[in-house]
mmCIF file of all heavy atoms in Angstrom:
data_model
loop_
_atom_site.group_PDB
_atom_site.id
_atom_site.type_symbol
_atom_site.label_atom_id
_atom_site.label_comp_id
_atom_site.label_asym_id
_atom_site.label_seq_id
_atom_site.Cartn_x
_atom_site.Cartn_y
_atom_site.Cartn_z
ATOM 1 N N HIS Q 16 122.599 153.585 98.225
ATOM 2 C CA HIS Q 16 122.974 152.174 98.275
ATOM 3 C C HIS Q 16 124.097 151.813 97.321
ATOM 4 O O HIS Q 16 124.766 150.812 97.522
ATOM 5 C CB HIS Q 16 121.755 151.291 98.004
ATOM 6 C CG HIS Q 16 120.925 151.039 99.217
ATOM 7 N ND1 HIS Q 16 120.020 150.010 99.309
ATOM 8 C CD2 HIS Q 16 120.868 151.689 100.415
ATOM 9 C CE1 HIS Q 16 119.438 150.033 100.498
ATOM 10 N NE2 HIS Q 16 119.929 151.047 101.175
ATOM 11 N N TYR Q 17 124.266 152.578 96.263
ATOM 12 C CA TYR Q 17 125.405 152.378 95.380
ATOM 13 C C TYR Q 17 126.207 153.668 95.320
ATOM 14 O O TYR Q 17 125.641 154.767 95.269
ATOM 15 C CB TYR Q 17 124.957 151.990 93.963
ATOM 16 C CG TYR Q 17 124.740 150.510 93.733
ATOM 17 C CD1 TYR Q 17 123.753 150.062 92.862
ATOM 18 C CD2 TYR Q 17 125.535 149.554 94.361
ATOM 19 C CE1 TYR Q 17 123.556 148.703 92.627
ATOM 20 C CE2 TYR Q 17 125.342 148.204 94.137
ATOM 21 C CZ TYR Q 17 124.353 147.784 93.277
ATOM 22 O OH TYR Q 17 124.165 146.440 93.058
ATOM 23 N N THR Q 18 127.523 153.532 95.319
ATOM 24 C CA THR Q 18 128.391 154.698 95.182
ATOM 25 C C THR Q 18 128.350 155.217 93.746
ATOM 26 O O THR Q 18 127.897 154.519 92.823
ATOM 27 C CB THR Q 18 129.838 154.336 95.533
ATOM 28 O OG1 THR Q 18 130.318 153.386 94.555
ATOM 29 C CG2 THR Q 18 129.932 153.732 96.929
ATOM 30 N N MET Q 19 128.869 156.415 93.577
ATOM 31 C CA MET Q 19 128.962 156.974 92.237
ATOM 32 C C MET Q 19 129.767 156.053 91.325
ATOM 33 O O MET Q 19 129.411 155.828 90.156
ATOM 34 C CB MET Q 19 129.601 158.360 92.296
ATOM 35 C CG MET Q 19 129.738 159.051 90.951
ATOM 36 S SD MET Q 19 128.126 159.474 90.260
ATOM 37 C CE MET Q 19 128.575 159.997 88.617
ATOM 38 N N GLU Q 20 130.837 155.495 91.847
ATOM 39 C CA GLU Q 20 131.692 154.612 91.053
ATOM 40 C C GLU Q 20 130.924 153.377 90.602
ATOM 41 O O GLU Q 20 131.063 152.915 89.460
ATOM 42 C CB GLU Q 20 132.916 154.206 91.880
ATOM 43 C CG GLU Q 20 133.971 153.439 91.094
ATOM 44 C CD GLU Q 20 135.175 153.063 91.934
ATOM 45 O OE1 GLU Q 20 135.110 153.210 93.174
ATOM 46 O OE2 GLU Q 20 136.177 152.604 91.351
ATOM 47 N N GLU Q 21 130.088 152.833 91.483
ATOM 48 C CA GLU Q 21 129.311 151.644 91.134
ATOM 49 C C GLU Q 21 128.258 151.963 90.071
ATOM 50 O O GLU Q 21 128.083 151.209 89.102
ATOM 51 C CB GLU Q 21 128.649 151.071 92.390
ATOM 52 C CG GLU Q 21 129.646 150.400 93.339
ATOM 53 C CD GLU Q 21 129.022 150.006 94.659
ATOM 54 O OE1 GLU Q 21 128.299 150.843 95.249
ATOM 55 O OE2 GLU Q 21 129.249 148.869 95.124
ATOM 56 N N ILE Q 22 127.549 153.082 90.258
ATOM 57 C CA ILE Q 22 126.535 153.473 89.270
ATOM 58 C C ILE Q 22 127.173 153.724 87.913
ATOM 59 O O ILE Q 22 126.675 153.278 86.874
ATOM 60 C CB ILE Q 22 125.775 154.725 89.750
ATOM 61 C CG1 ILE Q 22 125.022 154.429 91.049
ATOM 62 C CG2 ILE Q 22 124.809 155.226 88.682
ATOM 63 C CD1 ILE Q 22 124.448 155.662 91.722
ATOM 64 N N GLN Q 23 128.309 154.426 87.916
ATOM 65 C CA GLN Q 23 128.991 154.740 86.659
ATOM 66 C C GLN Q 23 129.452 153.477 85.946
ATOM 67 O O GLN Q 23 129.392 153.389 84.712
ATOM 68 C CB GLN Q 23 130.187 155.653 86.920
ATOM 69 C CG GLN Q 23 130.776 156.270 85.658
ATOM 70 C CD GLN Q 23 129.838 157.263 85.017
ATOM 71 O OE1 GLN Q 23 129.544 158.305 85.587
ATOM 72 N NE2 GLN Q 23 129.360 156.955 83.810
ATOM 73 N N ALA Q 24 129.882 152.483 86.717
ATOM 74 C CA ALA Q 24 130.330 151.225 86.111
ATOM 75 C C ALA Q 24 129.185 150.557 85.343
ATOM 76 O O ALA Q 24 129.376 150.064 84.223
ATOM 77 C CB ALA Q 24 130.860 150.285 87.196
ATOM 78 N N VAL Q 25 127.987 150.543 85.933
ATOM 79 C CA VAL Q 25 126.834 149.943 85.266
ATOM 80 C C VAL Q 25 126.482 150.711 84.000
ATOM 81 O O VAL Q 25 126.253 150.123 82.929
ATOM 82 C CB VAL Q 25 125.622 149.894 86.221
ATOM 83 C CG1 VAL Q 25 124.374 149.432 85.475
ATOM 84 C CG2 VAL Q 25 125.905 148.976 87.402
ATOM 85 N N VAL Q 26 126.443 152.036 84.105
ATOM 86 C CA VAL Q 26 126.088 152.861 82.944
ATOM 87 C C VAL Q 26 127.112 152.693 81.830
ATOM 88 O O VAL Q 26 126.749 152.563 80.653
ATOM 89 C CB VAL Q 26 125.954 154.339 83.352
ATOM 90 C CG1 VAL Q 26 125.770 155.226 82.123
ATOM 91 C CG2 VAL Q 26 124.782 154.523 84.309
ATOM 92 N N ASP Q 27 128.384 152.685 82.177
ATOM 93 C CA ASP Q 27 129.428 152.525 81.163
ATOM 94 C C ASP Q 27 129.286 151.191 80.420
ATOM 95 O O ASP Q 27 129.427 151.134 79.191
ATOM 96 C CB ASP Q 27 130.811 152.623 81.800
ATOM 97 C CG ASP Q 27 131.164 154.044 82.222
ATOM 98 O OD1 ASP Q 27 130.432 154.970 81.836
ATOM 99 O OD2 ASP Q 27 132.161 154.216 82.952
ATOM 100 N N GLU Q 28 129.023 150.116 81.173
ATOM 101 C CA GLU Q 28 128.867 148.809 80.536
ATOM 102 C C GLU Q 28 127.645 148.789 79.620
ATOM 103 O O GLU Q 28 127.694 148.255 78.506
ATOM 104 C CB GLU Q 28 128.742 147.714 81.603
ATOM 105 C CG GLU Q 28 130.040 147.395 82.321
ATOM 106 C CD GLU Q 28 131.076 146.764 81.419
ATOM 107 O OE1 GLU Q 28 130.716 146.013 80.488
ATOM 108 O OE2 GLU Q 28 132.277 147.020 81.632
ATOM 109 N N ALA Q 29 126.552 149.361 80.105
ATOM 110 C CA ALA Q 29 125.338 149.394 79.294
ATOM 111 C C ALA Q 29 125.528 150.244 78.044
ATOM 112 O O ALA Q 29 125.059 149.891 76.950
ATOM 113 C CB ALA Q 29 124.168 149.919 80.125
ATOM 114 N N ASN Q 30 126.223 151.373 78.192
ATOM 115 C CA ASN Q 30 126.457 152.258 77.052
ATOM 116 C C ASN Q 30 127.235 151.570 75.942
ATOM 117 O O ASN Q 30 127.025 151.851 74.747
ATOM 118 C CB ASN Q 30 127.211 153.513 77.503
ATOM 119 C CG ASN Q 30 126.307 154.518 78.183
ATOM 120 O OD1 ASN Q 30 125.083 154.428 78.122
ATOM 121 N ND2 ASN Q 30 126.919 155.499 78.850
ATOM 122 N N MET Q 31 128.134 150.656 76.308
ATOM 123 C CA MET Q 31 128.947 149.993 75.294
ATOM 124 C C MET Q 31 128.110 149.150 74.341
ATOM 125 O O MET Q 31 128.524 148.886 73.209
ATOM 126 C CB MET Q 31 130.026 149.136 75.966
ATOM 127 C CG MET Q 31 131.177 149.956 76.532
ATOM 128 S SD MET Q 31 132.632 148.962 76.942
ATOM 129 C CE MET Q 31 132.089 148.129 78.423
ATOM 130 N N VAL Q 32 126.918 148.734 74.794
ATOM 131 C CA VAL Q 32 126.054 147.931 73.924
ATOM 132 C C VAL Q 32 124.734 148.638 73.637
ATOM 133 O O VAL Q 32 123.798 148.045 73.088
ATOM 134 C CB VAL Q 32 125.782 146.536 74.550
ATOM 135 C CG1 VAL Q 32 127.048 145.702 74.548
ATOM 136 C CG2 VAL Q 32 125.215 146.659 75.956
ATOM 137 N N GLY Q 33 124.653 149.907 74.005
ATOM 138 C CA GLY Q 33 123.493 150.711 73.652
ATOM 139 C C GLY Q 33 122.233 150.427 74.445
ATOM 140 O O GLY Q 33 121.122 150.663 73.955
ATOM 141 N N LEU Q 34 122.379 149.929 75.682
ATOM 142 C CA LEU Q 34 121.208 149.651 76.509
ATOM 143 C C LEU Q 34 120.964 150.792 77.499
ATOM 144 O O LEU Q 34 121.910 151.314 78.094
ATOM 145 C CB LEU Q 34 121.385 148.353 77.293
ATOM 146 C CG LEU Q 34 121.357 147.047 76.515
ATOM 147 C CD1 LEU Q 34 121.433 145.866 77.478
ATOM 148 C CD2 LEU Q 34 120.109 146.936 75.654
ATOM 149 N N PRO Q 35 119.707 151.165 77.708
ATOM 150 C CA PRO Q 35 119.398 152.173 78.725
ATOM 151 C C PRO Q 35 119.508 151.590 80.131
ATOM 152 O O PRO Q 35 119.384 150.377 80.324
ATOM 153 C CB PRO Q 35 117.953 152.563 78.409
ATOM 154 C CG PRO Q 35 117.375 151.364 77.744
ATOM 155 C CD PRO Q 35 118.508 150.720 76.982
ATOM 156 N N VAL Q 36 119.737 152.465 81.095
ATOM 157 C CA VAL Q 36 119.774 152.070 82.507
ATOM 158 C C VAL Q 36 118.666 152.820 83.240
ATOM 159 O O VAL Q 36 118.550 154.033 83.131
ATOM 160 C CB VAL Q 36 121.141 152.389 83.150
ATOM 161 C CG1 VAL Q 36 121.121 152.062 84.650
ATOM 162 C CG2 VAL Q 36 122.255 151.615 82.452
ATOM 163 N N TRP Q 37 117.863 152.069 83.983
ATOM 164 C CA TRP Q 37 116.805 152.648 84.807
ATOM 165 C C TRP Q 37 117.246 152.584 86.261
ATOM 166 O O TRP Q 37 117.616 151.521 86.757
ATOM 167 C CB TRP Q 37 115.491 151.888 84.650
ATOM 168 C CG TRP Q 37 115.031 151.710 83.236
ATOM 169 C CD1 TRP Q 37 115.346 152.477 82.146
ATOM 170 C CD2 TRP Q 37 114.167 150.671 82.748
ATOM 171 N NE1 TRP Q 37 114.736 152.001 81.024
ATOM 172 C CE2 TRP Q 37 113.994 150.893 81.357
ATOM 173 C CE3 TRP Q 37 113.511 149.600 83.343
ATOM 174 C CZ2 TRP Q 37 113.205 150.053 80.567
ATOM 175 C CZ3 TRP Q 37 112.721 148.774 82.559
ATOM 176 C CH2 TRP Q 37 112.574 149.005 81.187
ATOM 177 N N SER Q 38 117.195 153.713 86.944
ATOM 178 C CA SER Q 38 117.671 153.774 88.323
ATOM 179 C C SER Q 38 116.530 154.031 89.297
ATOM 180 O O SER Q 38 115.862 155.064 89.235
ATOM 181 C CB SER Q 38 118.720 154.880 88.476
ATOM 182 O OG SER Q 38 119.137 154.998 89.826
ATOM 183 N N HIS Q 39 116.308 153.071 90.187
ATOM 184 C CA HIS Q 39 115.442 153.281 91.348
ATOM 185 C C HIS Q 39 116.180 154.248 92.264
ATOM 186 O O HIS Q 39 117.234 153.918 92.807
ATOM 187 C CB HIS Q 39 115.194 151.927 92.042
ATOM 188 C CG HIS Q 39 114.615 152.018 93.420
ATOM 189 N ND1 HIS Q 39 113.368 151.507 93.745
ATOM 190 C CD2 HIS Q 39 115.109 152.514 94.580
ATOM 191 C CE1 HIS Q 39 113.130 151.705 95.020
ATOM 192 N NE2 HIS Q 39 114.176 152.312 95.551
ATOM 193 N N ALA Q 40 115.629 155.450 92.427
ATOM 194 C CA ALA Q 40 116.329 156.494 93.178
ATOM 195 C C ALA Q 40 115.314 157.284 93.994
ATOM 196 O O ALA Q 40 114.641 158.169 93.480
ATOM 197 C CB ALA Q 40 117.094 157.419 92.238
ATOM 198 N N GLU Q 41 115.216 156.960 95.281
ATOM 199 C CA GLU Q 41 114.238 157.635 96.137
ATOM 200 C C GLU Q 41 114.858 158.757 96.957
ATOM 201 O O GLU Q 41 114.127 159.603 97.482
ATOM 202 C CB GLU Q 41 113.551 156.607 97.036
ATOM 203 C CG GLU Q 41 112.866 155.504 96.233
ATOM 204 C CD GLU Q 41 111.748 154.829 96.989
ATOM 205 O OE1 GLU Q 41 110.964 155.533 97.639
ATOM 206 O OE2 GLU Q 41 111.673 153.592 96.935
ATOM 207 N N GLY Q 42 116.157 158.783 97.105
ATOM 208 C CA GLY Q 42 116.843 159.875 97.781
ATOM 209 C C GLY Q 42 117.538 160.767 96.770
ATOM 210 O O GLY Q 42 117.900 160.331 95.677
ATOM 211 N N TYR Q 43 117.753 162.043 97.139
ATOM 212 C CA TYR Q 43 118.296 162.989 96.163
ATOM 213 C C TYR Q 43 119.716 162.635 95.755
ATOM 214 O O TYR Q 43 120.117 162.843 94.607
ATOM 215 C CB TYR Q 43 118.213 164.418 96.707
ATOM 216 C CG TYR Q 43 119.304 164.808 97.666
ATOM 217 C CD1 TYR Q 43 120.488 165.376 97.210
ATOM 218 C CD2 TYR Q 43 119.162 164.613 99.042
ATOM 219 C CE1 TYR Q 43 121.502 165.727 98.087
ATOM 220 C CE2 TYR Q 43 120.173 164.972 99.923
ATOM 221 C CZ TYR Q 43 121.337 165.517 99.450
ATOM 222 O OH TYR Q 43 122.333 165.855 100.316
ATOM 223 N N GLU Q 44 120.527 162.086 96.676
ATOM 224 C CA GLU Q 44 121.920 161.777 96.321
ATOM 225 C C GLU Q 44 121.989 160.647 95.298
ATOM 226 O O GLU Q 44 122.754 160.706 94.338
ATOM 227 C CB GLU Q 44 122.717 161.417 97.577
ATOM 228 C CG GLU Q 44 124.218 161.333 97.322
ATOM 229 C CD GLU Q 44 125.022 161.127 98.585
ATOM 230 O OE1 GLU Q 44 124.415 160.971 99.672
ATOM 231 O OE2 GLU Q 44 126.265 161.107 98.497
ATOM 232 N N GLY Q 45 121.150 159.617 95.487
ATOM 233 C CA GLY Q 45 121.111 158.532 94.517
ATOM 234 C C GLY Q 45 120.632 159.001 93.155
ATOM 235 O O GLY Q 45 121.160 158.596 92.118
ATOM 236 N N ALA Q 46 119.630 159.891 93.172
ATOM 237 C CA ALA Q 46 119.124 160.430 91.902
ATOM 238 C C ALA Q 46 120.169 161.299 91.223
ATOM 239 O O ALA Q 46 120.374 161.194 89.999
ATOM 240 C CB ALA Q 46 117.848 161.231 92.159
ATOM 241 N N LEU Q 47 120.818 162.151 91.998
ATOM 242 C CA LEU Q 47 121.816 163.048 91.423
ATOM 243 C C LEU Q 47 122.987 162.265 90.844
ATOM 244 O O LEU Q 47 123.432 162.522 89.715
ATOM 245 C CB LEU Q 47 122.304 164.036 92.480
ATOM 246 C CG LEU Q 47 123.324 165.073 92.012
ATOM 247 C CD1 LEU Q 47 122.766 165.920 90.878
ATOM 248 C CD2 LEU Q 47 123.755 165.963 93.185
ATOM 249 N N ASN Q 48 123.497 161.292 91.582
ATOM 250 C CA ASN Q 48 124.599 160.484 91.069
ATOM 251 C C ASN Q 48 124.184 159.706 89.815
ATOM 252 O O ASN Q 48 124.956 159.573 88.868
ATOM 253 C CB ASN Q 48 125.079 159.504 92.138
ATOM 254 C CG ASN Q 48 125.895 160.176 93.232
ATOM 255 O OD1 ASN Q 48 126.278 161.339 93.101
ATOM 256 N ND2 ASN Q 48 126.148 159.463 94.312
ATOM 257 N N SER Q 49 122.948 159.200 89.815
ATOM 258 C CA SER Q 49 122.457 158.463 88.651
ATOM 259 C C SER Q 49 122.389 159.356 87.423
ATOM 260 O O SER Q 49 122.775 158.952 86.319
ATOM 261 C CB SER Q 49 121.075 157.874 88.955
ATOM 262 O OG SER Q 49 121.138 156.908 89.986
ATOM 263 N N CYS Q 50 121.903 160.585 87.619
ATOM 264 C CA CYS Q 50 121.811 161.517 86.492
ATOM 265 C C CYS Q 50 123.193 161.918 85.984
ATOM 266 O O CYS Q 50 123.430 161.981 84.778
ATOM 267 C CB CYS Q 50 121.009 162.744 86.890
ATOM 268 S SG CYS Q 50 119.248 162.407 87.118
ATOM 269 N N LYS Q 51 124.107 162.180 86.898
ATOM 270 C CA LYS Q 51 125.472 162.523 86.499
ATOM 271 C C LYS Q 51 126.115 161.371 85.721
ATOM 272 O O LYS Q 51 126.863 161.594 84.763
ATOM 273 C CB LYS Q 51 126.310 162.869 87.726
ATOM 274 C CG LYS Q 51 125.988 164.217 88.355
ATOM 275 C CD LYS Q 51 126.880 164.470 89.570
ATOM 276 C CE LYS Q 51 126.640 165.853 90.158
ATOM 277 N NZ LYS Q 51 127.483 166.102 91.362
ATOM 278 N N ALA Q 52 125.821 160.136 86.143
ATOM 279 C CA ALA Q 52 126.409 158.969 85.483
ATOM 280 C C ALA Q 52 125.820 158.742 84.096
ATOM 281 O O ALA Q 52 126.450 158.107 83.248
ATOM 282 C CB ALA Q 52 126.207 157.730 86.352
ATOM 283 N N GLY Q 53 124.573 159.221 83.879
ATOM 284 C CA GLY Q 53 123.986 159.106 82.553
ATOM 285 C C GLY Q 53 122.931 158.027 82.399
ATOM 286 O O GLY Q 53 122.775 157.471 81.305
ATOM 287 N N VAL Q 54 122.184 157.730 83.476
ATOM 288 C CA VAL Q 54 121.071 156.792 83.314
ATOM 289 C C VAL Q 54 120.027 157.402 82.379
ATOM 290 O O VAL Q 54 120.019 158.606 82.135
ATOM 291 C CB VAL Q 54 120.423 156.443 84.681
ATOM 292 C CG1 VAL Q 54 121.455 155.863 85.634
ATOM 293 C CG2 VAL Q 54 119.718 157.642 85.307
ATOM 294 N N SER Q 55 119.121 156.579 81.874
ATOM 295 C CA SER Q 55 118.103 157.101 80.963
ATOM 296 C C SER Q 55 116.778 157.369 81.654
ATOM 297 O O SER Q 55 115.919 158.052 81.087
ATOM 298 C CB SER Q 55 117.885 156.135 79.797
ATOM 299 O OG SER Q 55 117.240 154.968 80.236
#
């Protein structure tokens, strides 16, 4: 539902203020992109 670019944008913004990101990820592509982007 979100592209890699969209997920990365959220993680980058959260990282700037030290907040973790939780990703609802039921498919492998969403999970993989979330992990690559650096969700917690």
Side-chain angles (χ1 to χ4, degrees):
H16 276 198
Y17 273 146
T18 65
M19 181 67 189
E20 188 179 11
E21 288 172 314
I22 297 170
Q23 192 68 66
V25 173
V26 172
D27 288 349
E28 287 293 327
N30 282 347
M31 284 195 286
V32 291
L34 290 185
V36 176
W37 307 336
S38 177
H39 166 117
E41 302 204 43
Y43 81 90
E44 190 174 4
L47 182 59
N48 285 349
S49 295
C50 290
K51 287 180 176 179
V54 303
S55 70

